[in-house]
Every structure is written in structure tokens, then in C-alpha cells.
Amino acid sequence: MQELLPDNGSVRKLWLGETEAYASHLLRLDNESRRRRFSGAMSDELIRRHAASATGLGTVVHGFFVDGVLRGSAELRVYQPGEAEAAFSIELPWQSHGVGSALLERTLLSARNRGVKRLRMHCLADNQRMQQLARKFAADLHFDFGSVIGEVDPPRSTALSLTREIMEDAHGVAHAIFEAQARLMKSA
Ligand SMILES: CC(C)(COP(=O)(O)OP(=O)(O)OC[C@H]1O[C@@H](n2cnc3c(N)ncnc32)[C@H](O)[C@@H]1OP(=O)(O)O)[C@@H](O)C(=O)NCCC(=O)NCCS
């Protein structure tokens, strides 16, 4: 279930109270990645507000953590029943190491379990890596090139897909506690 990720990193959902960590990650993106993540220019202040708004019931953010620091994220926002938007950001040193693939897989599972029928991912036309990433999930994604890269029509959630998400959440919590304790012991 847990993929081999760079630097022994791990993926789990962000918890309430991690808004600051989310904002810091988004602010650390290099200019090009920031432009691609938000499909255009975005000021620091707007990024802080964006991160603060990602705590609502219809929003799920998966994070990629290395040594307790958030280095990648996938944000799923359900904006009306059956419809959602997803956006991804990986800090430059961790790009092209499979993190985006791991995050997209988790996001598709969460979308499915929330009854999302149409998932949009805005993508600049020159963003080949994101297009390549979406192509890897061609079984789930239907392409519509333009500003929208794909639409997903996942089958309904099943007991198995719900169990998978619950188990991944439990694993994420256990891993985070283990890591925090290991860091404490190292620094003692
Ligand atoms: C786009 C992004 C999310 C992709 O995540 P990633 O972790 O870099 O991607 P992965 O390593 O999982 O690679 C996915 C696929 O992209 C392709 N790919 C990887 N590196 C590539 C590169 N440098 N150029 C072109 N394609 C590339 C590969 O086909 C890869 O599939 P493979 O692992 O089967 O070979 C990430 O690079 C990113 O955050 N970029 C900046 C922000 C952004 O563009 N967000 C998307 C808009 S919402």
C-alpha cells in the first residue's frame, strides 16, 4: 500500500491545524512550479489565503512529507455534488520521483469515495509533466485538452474502496507518530 517514495517520504492527509505548513509549502515552490500550480501568477498573500481556505468539509489535501516537512500536496475540492477540482504541487527537488503519481492515486480514491463523477484538473498547455502524469491514469481519466486536462468518471465507491481509504488514513497517522518519536529520540 505504501509506495517507495524519495527520501523515505510518506503520504498522508493534512490534519486540521496544518494550514501554516500547507502555506509554507506552497510559498516554497519555485516561480515556475507556482505558476503551474495556480495556472498563472499568484501573490504570497493570496497563497496564504488559499491555504487557509483549504480546511472546509469538501476539501481533502494529501501531503507528501519528508522528515516531518510538507514537500508536496494534492488538493481535492468538491465544489458541488459530483463535481470537484484537483491541483498538485511538488517542490522542485522532489519532482519526477513518482510523488505526483502517488498523490494522484490517493486523490482519485478520495474523489471516488466522495461520489465525485467529474474531476477537473486545470493545466497550462505547456505542462507536459502534468499531462504525462494524467496519461498514466488514462483508465480513469478522459482527456479534454484545453485549459482542463481531464475529467474522471470513477465508478461508485465500494466497501473495498472505502476500507482502502480508511486503512491509508490509519497508516498515515501511525507513520506520522512513529516519525515524530524517531526525530525526538535522535535529537535527545
Ligand atoms: C506536475 C507534477 C504534479 C508531477 O508530479 P511528479 O512527482 O513530478 O511526477 P511523477 O514523478 O509522478 O511523474 C509522472 C509522469 O510524468 C512523466 N515525467 C516525469 N518527469 C518528467 C519530465 N521532466 N518531463 C516530462 N515528463 C516527465 C513521466 O511519464 C512520469 O511517469 P513515469 O513515472 O511512469 O515515468 C509536479 O511535477 C509539480 O508539482 N509540478 C509543479 C506544479 C504543477 O505543474 N502542478 C500541476 C498543475 S495543478
Side-chain angles (χ1 to χ4, degrees), residues 33-144:
S33 298
R34 184 191 286 207
R35 186 181 72 87
R36 288 170 186 245
R37 163 61 179 80
F38 293 102
S39 298
M42 188 84 162
S43 70
D44 289 2
E45 182 47 33
L46 281 177
I47 286 189
R48 283 194 195 91
R49 275 197 236 159
H50 176 89
S53 74
T55 53
L57 264 187
T59 305
V60 179
V61 184
H62 282 95
F64 164 67
F65 290 83
V66 176
D67 294 331
V69 181
L70 183 63
R71 297 297 184 180
S73 72
E75 185 181 311
L76 175 76
R77 281 189 192 236
V78 181
Y79 54 87
Q80 66 180 58
E83 304 218 358
E85 241 177 49
F88 300 81
S89 55
I90 321 288
E91 291 177 33
L92 198 54
W94 288 275
Q95 289 180 12
S96 298
H97 288 95
V99 178
S101 305
L103 289 173
L104 179 53
E105 193 179 345
R106 301 292 183 92
T107 301
L108 285 172
L109 181 65
S110 290
R112 178 180 182 183
N113 286 338
R114 280 154 191 76
V116 172
K117 300 232 176 324
R118 182 166 293 183
L119 176 64
R120 291 173 179 276
M121 290 178 284
H122 293 278
C123 180
L124 295 174
D126 65 350
N127 196 345
Q128 291 190 352
R129 198 173 314 169
M130 187 62 214
Q131 292 171 13
Q132 229 7 76
L133 170 56
R135 254 186 226 116
K136 278 178 74 176
F137 292 81
D140 296 305
L141 295 164
H142 305 279
F143 292 89
D144 176 9

Side-chain angles (χ1 to χ4, degrees), residues 164-184:
R164 234 189 96 195
E165 184 168 351
I166 290 166
M167 285 180 68
E168 281 173 357
D169 287 350
H171 185 275
V173 173
H175 194 272
I177 292 171
F178 177 80
E179 256 200 357
Q181 281 183 340
R183 276 199 305 279
L184 272 177

